[in-house]
Structure formats: structure tokens, C-alpha cells
Amino acid sequence: MRVEIWSDIACPWCYVGKARFEKALADFPHRDEVEVVHRSFELDPGRAKGDTGPVVPMLARKYGISEEQAQAAEDNLGAQAAAEGLAYRTRGRDHGNTFDMHRLLHHAKQYGRQGELIQRLYEANFAEERSVFDGIERLVEIAAEAGLDAAEARTVLADPDAYAAEVRADEQQAAELGATGVPFFVLDRKYGISGAQPAEVFAQALRQAWGERSPLTLLDQGDADACGPDGCAVPQPS
């Protein structure tokens, strides 16, 4: 079974939702047969690269609330993250363009390191003092910590076209599936779950999707030569 997760590094609920989903997946009896794929979704795709700023004033402007209210919302998110065992800085964080991070995640997919990289990006963005938007070398450092080759990561980030089409394809798929926000979870392209739901909701969805998988229908065309664990059929002389 395949679970696709559309998310953005700038999204705190994606950080929390990932932890809740993984809690449900850890208790799922068929967890070793579940493939998890992380897909790209930019919350602010039109933002210029290098345009960064503090989170709280941005939230206040975006939602038309006071900075005190925005800070209270951040404090609430910090408490929700802590309940999932996640570190979360409620003060001093910044935000910016995440396109390069999504390109790097597609690069990581080629090496089976998507899960490790997205977790390190989340930790760097939400829990660490140094900004994740602090230039290419900061992302190279994070990529290396996630088990990727630093030189290869630097080459990818230096080429603005590397994996750009893959990021845009993910975002187009999200639009076609009706996703207007993240996190957005899709199970076997049959069930969709929006938002950082409780672990129990993810657990129920995993059970339902697994139970409703269509069994393979074999078309019996008679005996034919084939290979198996014990070797291959040997043609006999006629």
C-alpha cells in the first residue's frame, strides 16, 4: 500500500501531522508493506527566494489579528507539538521560500532518504535557532545530516532547474486531487485525509484502506515455463 503525503516545510501542522501519522503507522500490523512518499506543496509559491521574515508579524498580517494573538497561536502550536514529543520554538522563528527544500527532497527520493531529510528539515525549521533559510550551505549541511552526499546536494541546489519539474508535478497533482491545504494524506489514491488528524484517525484509515485493497485477479492461460525461488523450469527435449 502506498501513502502519499503532501506537505510544506513551513507548515507547522505538517510537522505535527507527520508525527501523528507515524505513531499510527508504527502500530499498524502491515507497516512493513506500506510505502510512504513525500510530495511537494508550497504554501507561498510566489514568494521570492531570499525573502525571509519573522513568523509572528506575518501571521498577524495574514489573518488580520494582533501580534499578541499570533503569538498565542504559536504557543498553542508549541504545546501540541510537545504532546507529540516534538521540539518547537515558539519565538524567534522566521519563514521564507521553500522551493529549494522541495527540490532537495526529490533528490533524496532517489536514494531512499526522503523521510530522513524531511524530518531534519522540520527539526531545523521548527526547533533549531539557526534559520533553515540561511542560504545553500545551511541546506547542504542538513542534507548531509540526513545521510545524503554533501557535494551532490550542493550541485542540485546550485542548478535552479534540478527537480523543479518534479516539484511542479506534485503541486499539479495536489490541485487535481482537490487539496487546498496541507498536510494532505492520500492512501492508495483511494482515500484522502486532510489536516493533522489524531493518530486514531490515521490508524482507522490504514486499516480501512488495507482491508479494501483489490486482490489480484490471475488470468489462467494454462501451464507456462517460469522461474521461482527453487530455480527455473528447464526445457525438455522433444
PDB file of all heavy atoms in Angstrom, residues 57-67 69-70:
ATOM      1  N   PRO A  57       4.797  38.416  13.121  1.00  0.00           N
ATOM      2  CA  PRO A  57       4.190  39.529  12.370  1.00  0.00           C
ATOM      3  C   PRO A  57       3.518  39.058  11.073  1.00  0.00           C
ATOM      4  O   PRO A  57       2.475  39.599  10.682  1.00  0.00           O
ATOM      5  CB  PRO A  57       5.380  40.445  12.075  1.00  0.00           C
ATOM      6  CG  PRO A  57       6.376  40.124  13.128  1.00  0.00           C
ATOM      7  CD  PRO A  57       6.232  38.666  13.389  1.00  0.00           C
ATOM      8  N   MET A  58       4.096  38.064  10.406  1.00  0.00           N
ATOM      9  CA  MET A  58       3.490  37.525   9.198  1.00  0.00           C
ATOM     10  C   MET A  58       2.114  36.939   9.497  1.00  0.00           C
ATOM     11  O   MET A  58       1.143  37.173   8.761  1.00  0.00           O
ATOM     12  CB  MET A  58       4.398  36.458   8.589  1.00  0.00           C
ATOM     13  CG  MET A  58       3.841  35.771   7.341  1.00  0.00           C
ATOM     14  SD  MET A  58       2.753  34.342   7.677  1.00  0.00           S
ATOM     15  CE  MET A  58       3.912  33.161   8.367  1.00  0.00           C
ATOM     16  N   LEU A  59       2.008  36.155  10.583  1.00  0.00           N
ATOM     17  CA  LEU A  59       0.718  35.565  10.949  1.00  0.00           C
ATOM     18  C   LEU A  59      -0.312  36.651  11.270  1.00  0.00           C
ATOM     19  O   LEU A  59      -1.486  36.537  10.898  1.00  0.00           O
ATOM     20  CB  LEU A  59       0.892  34.639  12.151  1.00  0.00           C
ATOM     21  CG  LEU A  59       1.693  33.354  11.920  1.00  0.00           C
ATOM     22  CD1 LEU A  59       1.904  32.620  13.241  1.00  0.00           C
ATOM     23  CD2 LEU A  59       0.994  32.447  10.921  1.00  0.00           C
ATOM     24  N   ALA A  60       0.137  37.685  11.956  1.00  0.00           N
ATOM     25  CA  ALA A  60      -0.775  38.772  12.312  1.00  0.00           C
ATOM     26  C   ALA A  60      -1.322  39.451  11.058  1.00  0.00           C
ATOM     27  O   ALA A  60      -2.529  39.718  10.952  1.00  0.00           O
ATOM     28  CB  ALA A  60      -0.060  39.780  13.204  1.00  0.00           C
ATOM     29  N   ARG A  61      -0.453  39.715  10.074  1.00  0.00           N
ATOM     30  CA  ARG A  61      -0.896  40.347   8.826  1.00  0.00           C
ATOM     31  C   ARG A  61      -1.812  39.418   8.038  1.00  0.00           C
ATOM     32  O   ARG A  61      -2.850  39.840   7.522  1.00  0.00           O
ATOM     33  CB  ARG A  61       0.317  40.727   7.969  1.00  0.00           C
ATOM     34  CG  ARG A  61       1.150  41.869   8.518  1.00  0.00           C
ATOM     35  CD  ARG A  61       2.138  42.350   7.475  1.00  0.00           C
ATOM     36  NE  ARG A  61       2.997  41.276   6.977  1.00  0.00           N
ATOM     37  CZ  ARG A  61       4.160  40.940   7.527  1.00  0.00           C
ATOM     38  NH1 ARG A  61       4.586  41.583   8.614  1.00  0.00           N
ATOM     39  NH2 ARG A  61       4.898  39.976   7.020  1.00  0.00           N
ATOM     40  N   LYS A  62      -1.422  38.159   7.942  1.00  0.00           N
ATOM     41  CA  LYS A  62      -2.158  37.200   7.112  1.00  0.00           C
ATOM     42  C   LYS A  62      -3.578  36.979   7.609  1.00  0.00           C
ATOM     43  O   LYS A  62      -4.525  36.882   6.814  1.00  0.00           O
ATOM     44  CB  LYS A  62      -1.399  35.871   7.077  1.00  0.00           C
ATOM     45  CG  LYS A  62      -2.034  34.824   6.186  1.00  0.00           C
ATOM     46  CD  LYS A  62      -1.165  33.572   6.086  1.00  0.00           C
ATOM     47  CE  LYS A  62      -1.778  32.543   5.160  1.00  0.00           C
ATOM     48  NZ  LYS A  62      -0.905  31.341   5.020  1.00  0.00           N
ATOM     49  N   TYR A  63      -3.748  36.886   8.928  1.00  0.00           N
ATOM     50  CA  TYR A  63      -5.052  36.550   9.489  1.00  0.00           C
ATOM     51  C   TYR A  63      -5.785  37.761  10.078  1.00  0.00           C
ATOM     52  O   TYR A  63      -6.885  37.612  10.622  1.00  0.00           O
ATOM     53  CB  TYR A  63      -4.891  35.463  10.550  1.00  0.00           C
ATOM     54  CG  TYR A  63      -4.371  34.172   9.976  1.00  0.00           C
ATOM     55  CD1 TYR A  63      -3.069  33.751  10.246  1.00  0.00           C
ATOM     56  CD2 TYR A  63      -5.151  33.377   9.137  1.00  0.00           C
ATOM     57  CE1 TYR A  63      -2.576  32.571   9.704  1.00  0.00           C
ATOM     58  CE2 TYR A  63      -4.668  32.207   8.589  1.00  0.00           C
ATOM     59  CZ  TYR A  63      -3.382  31.804   8.878  1.00  0.00           C
ATOM     60  OH  TYR A  63      -2.887  30.638   8.331  1.00  0.00           O
ATOM     61  N   GLY A  64      -5.181  38.938   9.972  1.00  0.00           N
ATOM     62  CA  GLY A  64      -5.833  40.143  10.473  1.00  0.00           C
ATOM     63  C   GLY A  64      -6.037  40.143  11.974  1.00  0.00           C
ATOM     64  O   GLY A  64      -7.080  40.559  12.485  1.00  0.00           O
ATOM     65  N   ILE A  65      -5.029  39.664  12.694  1.00  0.00           N
ATOM     66  CA  ILE A  65      -5.100  39.600  14.156  1.00  0.00           C
ATOM     67  C   ILE A  65      -3.931  40.383  14.744  1.00  0.00           C
ATOM     68  O   ILE A  65      -3.021  40.819  14.029  1.00  0.00           O
ATOM     69  CB  ILE A  65      -5.061  38.140  14.664  1.00  0.00           C
ATOM     70  CG1 ILE A  65      -3.786  37.440  14.176  1.00  0.00           C
ATOM     71  CG2 ILE A  65      -6.300  37.380  14.179  1.00  0.00           C
ATOM     72  CD1 ILE A  65      -3.636  35.991  14.657  1.00  0.00           C
ATOM     73  N   SER A  66      -3.955  40.565  16.043  1.00  0.00           N
ATOM     74  CA  SER A  66      -2.852  41.276  16.697  1.00  0.00           C
ATOM     75  C   SER A  66      -1.647  40.346  16.813  1.00  0.00           C
ATOM     76  O   SER A  66      -1.777  39.117  16.731  1.00  0.00           O
ATOM     77  CB  SER A  66      -3.278  41.740  18.089  1.00  0.00           C
ATOM     78  OG  SER A  66      -3.453  40.624  18.950  1.00  0.00           O
ATOM     79  N   GLU A  67      -0.475  40.930  17.034  1.00  0.00           N
ATOM     80  CA  GLU A  67       0.717  40.107  17.225  1.00  0.00           C
ATOM     81  C   GLU A  67       0.618  39.295  18.518  1.00  0.00           C
ATOM     82  O   GLU A  67       1.166  38.191  18.596  1.00  0.00           O
ATOM     83  CB  GLU A  67       1.979  40.978  17.216  1.00  0.00           C
ATOM     84  CG  GLU A  67       2.289  41.557  15.844  1.00  0.00           C
ATOM     85  CD  GLU A  67       3.709  42.070  15.706  1.00  0.00           C
ATOM     86  OE1 GLU A  67       4.535  41.789  16.605  1.00  0.00           O
ATOM     87  OE2 GLU A  67       3.999  42.757  14.698  1.00  0.00           O
ATOM     88  N   GLN A  69      -2.150  37.945  19.630  1.00  0.00           N
ATOM     89  CA  GLN A  69      -2.964  36.788  19.265  1.00  0.00           C
ATOM     90  C   GLN A  69      -2.154  35.797  18.431  1.00  0.00           C
ATOM     91  O   GLN A  69      -2.282  34.578  18.604  1.00  0.00           O
ATOM     92  CB  GLN A  69      -4.206  37.238  18.498  1.00  0.00           C
ATOM     93  CG  GLN A  69      -5.232  37.973  19.341  1.00  0.00           C
ATOM     94  CD  GLN A  69      -6.339  38.574  18.495  1.00  0.00           C
ATOM     95  OE1 GLN A  69      -6.082  39.253  17.511  1.00  0.00           O
ATOM     96  NE2 GLN A  69      -7.585  38.325  18.906  1.00  0.00           N
ATOM     97  N   ALA A  70      -1.328  36.320  17.545  1.00  0.00           N
ATOM     98  CA  ALA A  70      -0.489  35.447  16.720  1.00  0.00           C
ATOM     99  C   ALA A  70       0.504  34.680  17.583  1.00  0.00           C
ATOM    100  O   ALA A  70       0.753  33.488  17.363  1.00  0.00           O
ATOM    101  CB  ALA A  70       0.254  36.266  15.668  1.00  0.00           C
TER     102      ALA A  70
END
